[in-house]
Amino acid sequence: MLSRKKEIPEQLNERLATSGLRFTPQRQQVYNVLLDTRDHPTAEEVFLRAKHESPDISMATVYNCLDALVTCGLVRQVNVNRAATRYCPNMNDHCHFYCDDCGKVLDVNCTSAGPVAGAKVPSGFQVTHYELSLRGRCPDCATKANKLHH
Amino acid sequence: MLSRKKEIPEQLNERLATSGLRFTPQRQQVYNVLLDTRDHPTAEEVFLRAKHESPDISMATVYNCLDALVTCGLVRQVNVNRAATRYCPNMNDHCHFYCDDCGKVLDVNCTSAGPVAGAKVPSGFQVTHYELSLRGRCPDCATKANKLHH
DNA sequence: CTATATGCAAATAGTTTGCCTGTTA
DNA sequence: TAACAGGCAAACTATTTGCATATAG
């Protein structure tokens, strides 16, 4: 559970510095929360979890920390429908699956080519980021839905 | 400009009926706005444009109409970052490009295979929708940015 | 020491809801 | 005419901002 917490403090410090940002206990704490449970929490969920160890942390600080982590390239924002923005510390090439039944957001691995390879981007466009989001039923909910048919 | 307005009223009527929804002048008007200028407007932009022809239309109605159009499969929602949801009447296989410089959202054609083909979706997932969004610089802004280097 | 970050509270933006009236099928 | 849609205003949720204090480098 807590094993990851000691693995990356220097990495975080360096990454922040590279982007001209300062290391703070709150930024460490917010990053730890994202690494501990990789369920793509919203800012408010991060806030509630971070409060366990940092009871004085505020929502404004959580947003600030999340922005800092995005800026220095350690975290990605995930947007699903009209709902609140979610945050993902997995920076590998992957996409997100949103389950319409249970609301969970899951990481899905992509081919090594990456989804952008599948899109003929007309010349002239400079693509710096991409996000592929899938929607439907996750395996758990698909199984449950099948059982109801019997 | 207005040429499309008369092309689809029956189609809209039928599509709404198929989903158990009623045809109303407001829904027609909102759909016309989306078809007239395909720049992926937000709900508020749709509202402002619709008011020209339907001065009494309200925001609540615009949201209702947009939801109705999404429900009956004539319009897609487009989510970009933390900003307001945008709406797109192009139901062909395509993805969206968001320009970080000018904020425009542009349609980009995909290969016939579609971007989902590029993602190894683990077995068990039932994918019903997908959305590929790209970010970076659009051709116009890329050209402008290059000129500044001389 | 100085720029930057925090914490609090108030402000905004986007969206939804309730309720009554109007309209569609 | 009965169920659904519109209009208005209030409520709500997510996010941002202003400002005084604290702290990292």
Side-chain angles (χ1 to χ4, degrees):
Chain A
M1 288 296 136
L2 305 181
S3 60
R4 273 203 189 86
K5 293 198 175 183
K6 289 281 169 58
E7 286 175 23
I8 35 67
E10 304 103 290
Q11 191 196 343
L12 174 57
N13 197 336
E14 285 165 22
R15 288 297 204 111
L16 287 167
T18 306
S19 299
L21 299 166
R22 291 180 180 171
F23 176 91
T24 69
Q26 290 87 344
R27 285 173 181 177
Q28 180 70 66
Q29 175 64 18
V30 164
Y31 191 39
N32 286 347
V33 164
L34 291 176
L35 291 175
D36 276 348
T37 310
R38 292 165 177 246
D39 59 350
H40 308 85
T42 62
E44 181 157 27
E45 287 164 342
V46 171
F47 171 65
L48 294 172
R49 295 176 196 177
K51 275 212 295 194
H52 296 152
E53 295 213 8
S54 313
D56 290 340
I57 200 169
S58 71
M59 270 305 294
T61 297
V62 168
Y63 276 107
N64 176 327
C65 294
L66 289 169
D67 282 348
L69 293 169
V70 169
T71 299
C72 72
L74 287 173
V75 165
R76 293 170 55 177
Q77 295 188 341
V78 182
N79 296 283
V80 187
N81 299 332
R82 285 176 182 164
T85 300
R86 294 165 175 277
Y87 296 85
C88 175
N90 177 357
M91 298 302 287
N92 297 323
D93 192 10
H94 73 288
C95 56
H96 293 111
F97 182 91
Y98 172 75
C99 178
D100 286 321
D101 282 18
C102 68
K104 281 195 191 117
V105 175
L106 304 166
D107 285 356
V108 173
N109 289 323
C110 298
T111 61
S112 55
V116 174
K120 271 188 224 144
V121 181
S123 66
F125 285 89
Q126 296 177 347
V127 179
T128 57
H129 302 277
Y130 67 87
E131 181 171 359
L132 173 60
S133 19
L134 309 173
R135 270 180 52 197
R137 271 202 189 117
C138 72
D140 284 0
C141 291
T143 305
K144 282 176 199 157
N146 279 339
K147 282 184 185 160
L148 294 178
H149 281 280
H150 294 298
Chain B
M1 290 296 136
L2 305 181
S3 59
R4 274 204 188 87
K5 293 199 175 183
K6 288 280 169 60
E7 286 175 22
I8 35 68
E10 305 105 287
Q11 191 195 343
L12 174 57
N13 198 336
E14 286 165 21
R15 287 296 205 112
L16 287 167
T18 305
S19 299
L21 299 165
R22 291 180 180 169
F23 176 91
T24 68
Q26 289 88 343
R27 285 173 180 177
Q28 179 71 65
Q29 174 65 18
V30 164
Y31 192 37
N32 286 346
V33 164
L34 291 176
L35 291 175
D36 277 348
T37 308
R38 293 164 176 246
D39 59 351
H40 309 84
T42 63
E44 181 157 26
E45 287 164 342
V46 171
F47 171 64
L48 293 172
R49 295 176 197 176
K51 275 213 295 193
H52 296 153
E53 295 211 8
S54 313
D56 289 339
I57 201 168
S58 71
M59 269 304 295
T61 297
V62 168
Y63 275 106
N64 177 327
C65 294
L66 290 169
D67 282 347
L69 293 168
V70 169
T71 298
C72 72
L74 288 173
V75 165
R76 293 170 56 177
Q77 295 188 340
V78 182
N79 296 284
V80 187
N81 298 335
R82 285 175 183 164
T85 301
R86 295 166 174 276
Y87 295 86
C88 174
N90 177 357
M91 298 301 287
N92 296 324
D93 193 11
H94 72 288
C95 57
H96 294 112
F97 182 92
Y98 172 75
C99 179
D100 285 321
D101 281 18
C102 67
K104 278 191 194 125
V105 175
L106 304 165
D107 285 356
V108 172
N109 289 324
C110 298
T111 61
S112 55
V116 175
K120 270 189 227 146
V121 180
S123 66
F125 285 91
Q126 296 176 348
V127 180
T128 57
H129 302 277
Y130 67 86
E131 181 171 357
L132 174 60
S133 17
L134 309 173
R135 270 180 52 199
R137 271 202 188 119
C138 73
D140 284 359
C141 290
T143 305
K144 281 176 199 157
N146 279 338
K147 281 183 186 161
L148 292 180
H149 281 281
H150 293 298

